Amino acid sequence: MECVAMVTEAALWLLIVVFFIVLPAMFGVSLGVSGVYIQVLVRILQWATVRIQRGRQEQPEHTGGSMEEEMEQLRLSRRPEAGDFSLSDAIYFCQKGLESIVEDQVTQRFSSEELASWNLLTRTNQNFQYISLRLTIFWVLGVFVRYGVLLPLRVALAVIGLSWLVLGTTVVGFLPESSVKNWLSELVHLTCYRICARGLSATIHYHNKENRPQKGGICVANHTTPIDVVILANDGCYAMVGQIHRGLMGVIQRSMVRSCPHIWFERSEMKDRHAVTSRLRAHVSARTKLPILIFPEGTCVNNTSVLMFKKGSFEVRGTIHPVAIKYDPRFGDAFWNSTKYSMVSYLLRMMTSWAIVVNVWYLPPMTIQ
């Protein structure tokens, strides 16, 4: 009897997920739940900010001294017979110089953006010094909601979305080349990415939709996270460019390329710049093919600035459609620091964050002069 009850509850839960989340996502319909959820989060975070500010005002303010004051403290700590000068004084200036080199503008782009206040996701924020009892209670409740409620739901949605992508693209791949096949392929990709976006509690605001990338063009965007693909593909389909992988990612890539002309390269081909350029040029020359999605920075940056673009994607001489993506860091850190987190641990962080709130700006198309 207990097994039957568990199976019934699981079936009922899956039915609710499919009818109230998956199906509306597939048709691009919102029931308004995510909007209410974001508004509640904003109010809670605003209240937490006020509580933190009150706590800081009650604590004595501590300000760091100048370099002269720090040197004076070092000299006072020495023995009197050491005199006014010591060769070890140079070590202090070497330390400051190395800190300036390590913390230059480029290096800071590969570390997570510091928040002005605590977003109830971690207890180690550098700007967070005071914890009140009520804040601690809210933090504990937040951990339960994020890991006990949101995480299982989001994992289920991700599994449904990826399964639909593999199954749908595989079936469409058996159809003969025609406009119907292209339409079905775009439909499968679009619905899959929309389900995955719901799995991340993504709230996406698109601006200047009249500038959306068109077929036969190249879409270039700043790169913060692998989720950028999901964010952009919610509003239109793209041909992806990337290296061939093994394992689960390889299965997904092989199923996708059956129904849509994505451009996958072997590792040896990626080093051959001319081979990559020629394949991109051949794709762009066919005006009926989906726009190519490229991240010309070549790596993920923390969404506070943009690195210099690599010029390969601009040598194809197609129409360039620039896109700017900006994440709201209050609800979760979307930046993927690949040197610190593996893909699995990063996705776990994303699925246990409050939400993904992002603005996407389509900029006017450009051609080389």
Side-chain angles (χ1 to χ4, degrees), residues 124-188:
T124 58
N125 190 287
Q126 293 181 8
N127 296 321
F128 179 66
Q129 301 170 353
Y130 177 80
I131 302 177
S132 70
L133 178 60
R134 276 188 280 184
L135 273 179
T136 303
I137 293 174
F138 266 93
W139 177 72
V140 172
L141 290 175
V143 171
F144 171 75
V145 170
R146 290 187 292 112
Y147 283 87
V149 179
L150 295 180
L151 178 59
L153 177 62
R154 290 169 175 174
V155 170
L157 289 173
V159 171
I160 292 173
L162 292 177
S163 300
W164 168 247
L165 177 65
V166 173
L167 179 62
T169 52
T170 301
V171 172
V172 173
F174 289 110
L175 299 177
E177 293 295 332
S178 63
S179 58
V180 175
K181 178 180 179 179
N182 295 335
W183 177 78
L184 288 175
S185 174
E186 294 181 20
L187 181 63
V188 169

Side-chain angles (χ1 to χ4, degrees), residues 38 42 201-209 220-225 227-235 238 295 303-304 306 322-332 334 355-363:
I38 294 299
V42 169
S201 299
T203 300
I204 313 170
H205 306 285
Y206 298 98
H207 307 275
N208 304 325
K209 286 192 173 185
V220 296
N222 58 305
H223 198 25
T224 306
T225 162
I227 298 172
D228 291 336
V229 175
V230 178
I231 299 300
L232 292 177
N234 262 262
D235 197 40
Y238 297 89
F295 301 105
N303 210 224
T304 63
V306 179
V323 176
I325 308 173
K326 180 60 180 175
Y327 293 89
D328 193 330
R330 292 178 298 171
F331 307 99
I356 300 296
V357 180
V358 56
N359 285 277
V360 177
W361 285 272
Y362 296 116
L363 305 179

Side-chain angles (χ1 to χ4, degrees), residues 12-31:
L12 180 61
W13 180 79
L14 184 61
L15 196 65
I16 293 174
V17 169
V18 170
F19 277 94
F20 290 96
I21 301 179
V22 174
L23 288 180
M26 294 177 69
F27 293 99
V29 177
S30 175
L31 301 180

Side-chain angles (χ1 to χ4, degrees), residues 45-87:
L45 296 180
Q46 288 175 346
W47 171 82
T49 301
V50 173
R51 294 293 302 175
I52 291 172
Q53 291 173 349
R54 288 178 184 175
R56 284 176 175 170
Q57 291 173 359
E58 296 171 1
Q59 292 182 339
E61 185 176 1
H62 175 72
T63 58
S66 62
M67 291 181 65
E68 290 81 1
E69 292 174 350
E70 292 181 9
M71 284 297 298
E72 188 66 28
Q73 292 293 329
L74 287 174
R75 287 171 178 169
L76 290 176
S77 64
R78 282 199 219 109
R79 292 175 304 196
E81 59 268 19
D84 293 335
F85 173 78
S86 176
L87 188 60

Side-chain angles (χ1 to χ4, degrees), residues 86-114:
S86 176
L87 188 60
S88 61
D89 290 345
I91 297 178
Y92 171 79
F93 293 102
C94 289
Q95 176 190 349
K96 292 297 182 182
L98 289 173
E99 288 176 354
S100 299
I101 293 173
V102 171
E103 297 178 0
D104 65 350
Q105 291 183 348
V106 175
T107 306
Q108 291 176 3
R109 296 176 185 178
F110 297 100
S111 58
S112 296
E113 179 182 0
E114 287 295 335

Side-chain angles (χ1 to χ4, degrees), residues 291-305:
I292 299 175
L293 177 58
I294 296 177
F295 301 105
E297 290 172 290
T299 186
C300 293
V301 186
N302 66 0
N303 210 224
T304 63
S305 51

